[in-house]
Each structure stands twice: as structure tokens, then as C-alpha cells.
Amino acid sequence: MAPTERSFARRRLLTGAAALTGATLLGPTAHAAENGRGAWPDRFSLPQGFQPEGITIGSRPYAWFGSLASGDVYRASLATGRGAVIAKGLGADHPTVGLKIGPRGRLFLSGGVSGELRIVDARSGETEKVYDVDGLFVNDVILTPDAAWFTDSYRAVLYKLLLDRHGAPGAVETVPLTGDWVQGADFTANGIERTPDGSALLVVNTVADGGGLMRVEPRTGVARAVDLGAARLPNGDGLLLLGRTLYAVQQQQNAIDVFRLDAAGTRGTAIARITDPRFRIPTTVAAWGDRLYLPNARFDVEPAPDTEYDAVAVRQV
């Protein structure tokens, strides 16, 4: 099995045996509501064979999706569901996993097994910069005022890409993860977010204590486990923070677990679980209006050029 295929096979299977443990003690279940935006679609197709993983939505109603198959970036209108590839990738060895759009139209891309961080102009589709950080699986990314932070699922580090006051990228620093961080023998770190007060980072750790969140001090990399009570995130993937409400996608469980955090992000209370029959192993989540949008990665099927993929929308809690 080629390195890329092996890594994605591991990703599909991550903590699969524990897929039901995160379902306990998570409070009421919230199912998808009717279309809350009139004629706006609550499901739309993505290109066949695309293998979506990441999603980002900026200040306008458009979503960008990254392709594991080719590294392409696809942009879709949330109003119509129609879209097109706006940036060509560098091929199967250079996937696009997580991605975020910055305020000046830059897309920050996680390069998975390529070990790269990439910057793409969302307007022209041109690749502005490629950073080879020698990563093993650069997974997800979050933007802060002075940096873009990337996780690596096979290394106990974060990559900090410095940004100037205009959001332009500069140098990359590697920040080792210490403290309570537990690095498993396989896939460990996944989604990343900021704490509600912006003082620290939240990172999914699928291994520690059955799977959960770590609060990471950005200056030192010291990690402390977030107290989530009895809740666990063995299949935790993308994170989305809206105010003090944290949405954590549990991909293999076809669910989003919802937590109310304290300001510092040291404690969280499970308040709901969102499920929907249209979920087909969603991975990441972004918001527009009162909706959450998720790509269905379909990690339970062997991808082929004609495999169908889509994105779905559900109501926020």
C-alpha cells in the first residue's frame, strides 16, 4: 500500500472499535431541522471522486472544500449549491486536508502526508507559498490574529505560521506539545480551535483518556486536558467555536457533539448531540447564519473516480 493510501486507510479506521463510546452521557439529541433559509439547499453535491475533508466559510455565503484525492480546492455557493474548482492541487501526494480562509482572501491549507503548509489566493487560485515542514500528516488549521496553527496527527507538535498585521505569511515555527499531551502510536491530533477568551488553543487528542480535548498554551506548547466530564471524543475531528459553544464532529459516529465551555476553555459541559440520516462520516464543520455545513467524507467506502460526495447543512443548537 502506498504511503498516501496507508495514511488515509488509518484515518478511516481511527479508533473505530471505540466508535460508540462518545455517545454516552451527552444529553439530548438534536436532529436536523427543516430548511431554515427558504430556497437555500440543505444538501448539495460535490464533484465525483473529490474525496472532501475540510471546509471553510468566510464573510460571504461561499464554502471552500479541500480534496484528499488531488489537493484541489472547490468553492460552492451556499445560496445555490453550485460551484467549481477554483484552485488545482499538486496531485495525489499533495492532498488538501484542513483549510481556513483569512480576511484578505488567502486560503491556508494543510497538506496531509505531503508534510506541507500551503497558501492559495482564493480569488486567482494561484498557490502563493508552499512550506515543507517535514510533517507526517498535517491535518487541521486555525487562524489567530498573528498566526496560522496546524496540527500533525503523527507528531506531538503544532506548526505556527507567523502572520504580519496584514495577514501575510512569514516564518514557520515548530512548537512541541508537552504536559498532559499523550502521543499514540498512530493517529492522535486532529481538529484545532481557539478558547472562547482567545488565550489558548484547543486540540482534539483521540488517544488520551479515551479521546478528548487538550488546552494548549501557545507560547510553550504545554497541554492540559479539558474537563469534559464523562464525554469522550474517540472519533473527534473538526472543531468549531461559536461564542462559548463548541461543536466537535465525531466522524465515525455520524454525529456532532456540542459543549458549553468556560471562557478559558478549561472545562466543558456536554449539552447536545446533533445527528442526521444524511451524515455519511462527516469530518469538519463551518457555519453560516443559523446553519452548520459539513462535507461527507465517506471514509467507509473505497474511493473511486465516480464515488459520489456531498455536503449537508443542519441547524445550530
Side-chain angles (χ1 to χ4, degrees), residues 8-172:
F8 289 138
R10 286 175 178 172
R11 182 167 174 78
R12 294 187 198 105
L13 293 174
L14 81 94
T15 56
L20 297 179
T21 61
T24 60
L25 299 175
L26 280 168
T29 297
H31 292 273
E34 294 299 321
N35 189 341
R37 299 195 65 88
W40 285 31
D42 57 10
R43 176 191 174 277
F44 50 86
S45 296
L46 300 175
Q48 288 187 343
F50 189 75
Q51 296 182 46
E53 213 281 358
I55 181 175
T56 183
I57 297 173
S59 59
R60 299 177 64 196
Y62 294 92
W64 286 262
F65 300 87
S67 170
L68 298 179
S70 62
D72 288 358
V73 177
Y74 180 87
R75 189 186 81 157
S77 165
L78 301 181
T80 66
R82 295 191 293 271
V85 171
I86 59 93
K88 295 297 293 182
L90 303 178
D93 293 334
H94 303 268
T96 295
V97 190
L99 72 169
K100 288 291 184 295
I101 188 161
R104 295 180 181 268
R106 289 186 179 92
L107 286 163
F108 296 80
L109 312 181
S110 303
V113 293
S114 71
E116 298 168 347
L117 323 177
R118 298 196 298 274
I119 315 299
V120 168
D121 186 322
R123 292 158 294 195
S124 68
E126 295 297 319
T127 299
E128 293 184 349
K129 288 190 176 183
V130 178
Y131 297 84
D132 186 351
V133 296
D134 198 28
L136 296 181
F137 192 99
V138 185
N139 191 325
D140 207 354
V141 55
I142 189 67
L143 301 181
T144 65
D146 63 351
W149 293 85
F150 298 79
T151 60
D152 191 317
S153 295
Y154 294 123
R155 295 182 65 194
V157 300
L158 297 178
Y159 305 112
K160 180 183 181 182
L161 174 58
L162 299 174
L163 305 177
D164 68 17
R165 62 190 181 91
H166 301 295
V172 177

Side-chain angles (χ1 to χ4, degrees), residues 267-292:
R267 297 187 307 278
T269 301
I271 59 172
R273 164 165 280 204
I274 301 172
T275 62
D276 191 285
R278 298 169 301 157
F279 285 172
R280 296 187 292 178
I281 308 189
T283 44
T284 48
V285 58
W288 180 264
D290 62 354
R291 287 179 163 195
L292 304 171

Side-chain angles (χ1 to χ4, degrees), residues 209-244:
D209 196 25
L213 284 178
M214 294 285 174
R215 182 186 186 275
V216 178
E217 166 56 51
R219 291 170 297 177
T220 64
V222 173
R224 295 290 178 245
V226 178
D227 181 2
L228 298 179
R232 295 293 180 267
L233 299 174
N235 307 125
D237 200 327
L239 299 176
L240 174 66
L241 183 72
L242 299 177
R244 291 193 183 184

Side-chain angles (χ1 to χ4, degrees), residues 193 202 213 239-241 244-248 257-259 261:
E193 252 292 0
L202 298 171
L213 284 178
L239 299 176
L240 174 66
L241 183 72
R244 291 193 183 184
T245 301
L246 181 72
Y247 296 89
D257 289 333
V258 189
F259 300 88
L261 302 181

Side-chain angles (χ1 to χ4, degrees), residues 180-193:
D180 293 342
W181 188 265
V182 177
Q183 184 65 33
D186 212 316
F187 198 96
T188 302
N190 206 321
I192 184 169
E193 252 292 0

